Amino acid sequence: MIKVAVFGAKGRMGAAVCQAVEEAEDTELVGAVDSGDDRSAALGADVIVDFTTPDAVMDNLSWAISHDINTVVGTTGFDDERYQTLRDQLANHPSTGCLVAPNFSIGAVLMMHFAEQAAKFYESAEIIELHHPNKVDAPSGTARTTATKIAAARQEAGLGEVPDATKSQLDGARGAVVDGVHVHGVRLRGLIAHQEVLFGAEGETLTIRHDSMDRVSFMSGVLTGVRGVLDRPGLTIGIEGLLGLE
Ligand code: NAP
C-alpha cells in the first residue's frame, strides 16, 4: 500500500483526491492537512499530494522535500524560477521525487499530445476554449500550453504564420494570440471545462475536442502520478512521461 497524505484536503480538488486515495486498492490515506493544520500529520507518508494555492505550495514542497517525502503537485502558478528552486532543493535529497502537473486530466493531456502531432500537417490552427462563467482567467492554462506546443511543432516543421487576411476587426474578434496561434475563449453557464483544437488545410479540417464533465476526471491522472513518482527521483513536469507519451 502506498501511504498518501493530502495538502489542501478540504479544498475542491483535495477532497476529491482524499476520496480517490481511499477508494483505490493500492493507496491508503494517512494524513489530511488543510490551512492552519499541523503538517506533521503527513509525516510517514510515501507521497504527499498538494492541491492548495500558489501562495502556499512552495513552502509545503520545501517542507516535504526536507523530510524526504515524494510529492505530486496539482497546484498551479509554477514558472521556470519555481521549477529551478525545486530542482535545487531536490539536488540535496537525491532519492526524493516531485511531480508537478499543470493538468492531471488524461483526456486533456492526450488532446495536447494529439494536437502537437497534428500541428505539422496543417497550414491553419486555432483553439477554442470553453468554460463555466466563474473562471477568472482567460485564456485557460491548458489553451496556452496547447498553443505553445502547436507553435513549437509548426516551427520545427518549417511552417510560417497561419494564413489570415483580416485587415480590420473589432478588438478581440480574432481572439488572443499565443505564440502565433489564435485562442478564443467562451464563458457559458452550463459548461465546465472544454477545448477544441481546429486544424485546416486545403479541402479538409481536423477538430480535436476534449470535455471535462467532473473533477473526478483528474483523479486517474493523480493516482498515476502517486504511483509513478515513487520511481522518479528529482523533478518531473507533467504526466506525459508516465503515460508513455514522450
Ligand atoms: P480550493 O477549493 O480553494 O482548495 C485549496 C485548499 O487548500 C483550501 O481548502 C485551502 O484552505 C487549502 N490551503 C491553503 N493553504 C494551505 C496550506 N498552506 N496547507 C494546506 N492547505 C492549504 O482550490 P481547488 O479548486 O481545489 O484548486 C486547488 C489548486 O489546484 C489550484 O491551484 C487550482 O488551479 C489547481 N488545479 C489543478 C488541476 C490540475 O489538473 N493540475 C486541476 C484543478 C485545479 P483555505 O480555503 O482555508 O485557505
Side-chain angles (χ1 to χ4, degrees):
M1 288 296 251
I2 307 169
K3 295 187 175 114
V4 181
V6 176
F7 283 176
K10 291 185 185 155
R12 286 166 291 202
M13 287 295 290
V17 174
C18 288
Q19 190 179 343
V21 166
E22 282 179 323
E23 285 173 7
E25 287 184 352
D26 58 344
T27 54
E28 84 177 283
L29 187 67
V30 296
V33 176
D34 210 74
S35 54
D37 295 343
D38 186 352
R39 284 188 291 215
S40 61
L43 289 173
D46 301 311
V47 181
I48 292 172
V49 179
D50 188 296
F51 275 96
T52 57
T53 66
D55 288 343
V57 65
M58 290 306 281
D59 189 49
N60 282 344
L61 295 182
S62 172
W63 181 90
I65 293 167
S66 72
H67 287 88
D68 284 316
I69 304 176
N70 302 295
T71 44
V72 169
V73 186
T75 309
T76 42
F78 280 82
D79 54 16
D80 288 343
E81 197 182 326
R82 285 187 165 207
Y83 286 137
Q84 194 51 48
T85 303
L86 292 178
R87 281 190 195 96
D88 292 345
Q89 290 172 346
L90 287 160
N92 297 322
H93 298 267
S95 60
T96 304
C98 173
L99 166 70
V100 182
N103 203 319
F104 277 103
S105 151
I106 288 175
V109 170
L110 285 173
M111 169 191 61
M112 287 188 268
H113 181 72
F114 295 152
E116 204 174 2
Q117 306 280 301
K120 63 179 176 221
F121 298 106
Y122 289 93
E123 190 183 8
S124 292
E126 303 217 1
I127 297 171
I128 306 172
E129 56 95 332
L130 312 92
H131 285 84
H132 58 85
N134 301 330
K135 184 170 176 57
V136 293
D137 57 320
S140 70
T142 300
R144 279 172 187 260
T145 305
T146 313
T148 301
K149 284 175 186 271
I150 289 172
R154 288 177 66 88
Q155 194 181 16
E156 199 176 309
L159 292 175
E161 288 182 14
V162 293
D164 181 2
T166 308
K167 281 213 173 91
S168 66
Q169 61 171 309
L170 286 179
D171 264 0
R174 293 284 294 113
V177 181
V178 180
D179 292 348
V181 178
H182 290 258
V183 182
H184 310 268
V186 175
R187 296 292 174 265
L188 202 70
R189 186 72 68 202
L191 293 179
I192 299 186
H194 319 260
Q195 181 168 303
E196 288 187 0
V197 187
L198 291 77
F199 293 104
E202 289 291 344
E204 68 165 318
T205 65
L206 170 71
T207 302
I208 302 170
R209 180 175 172 117
H210 175 253
D211 299 276
S212 261
M213 259 75 85
D214 195 288
R215 231 163 249 120
V216 74
S217 65
F218 297 108
M219 293 308 127
S220 148
V222 171
L223 291 174
T224 299
V226 165
R227 294 171 189 125
V229 75
L230 297 173
D231 305 324
R232 289 185 179 238
L235 178 66
T236 304
I237 301 171
I239 58 170
E240 285 80 351
L242 298 177
L243 300 176
L245 296 175
E246 280 177 351

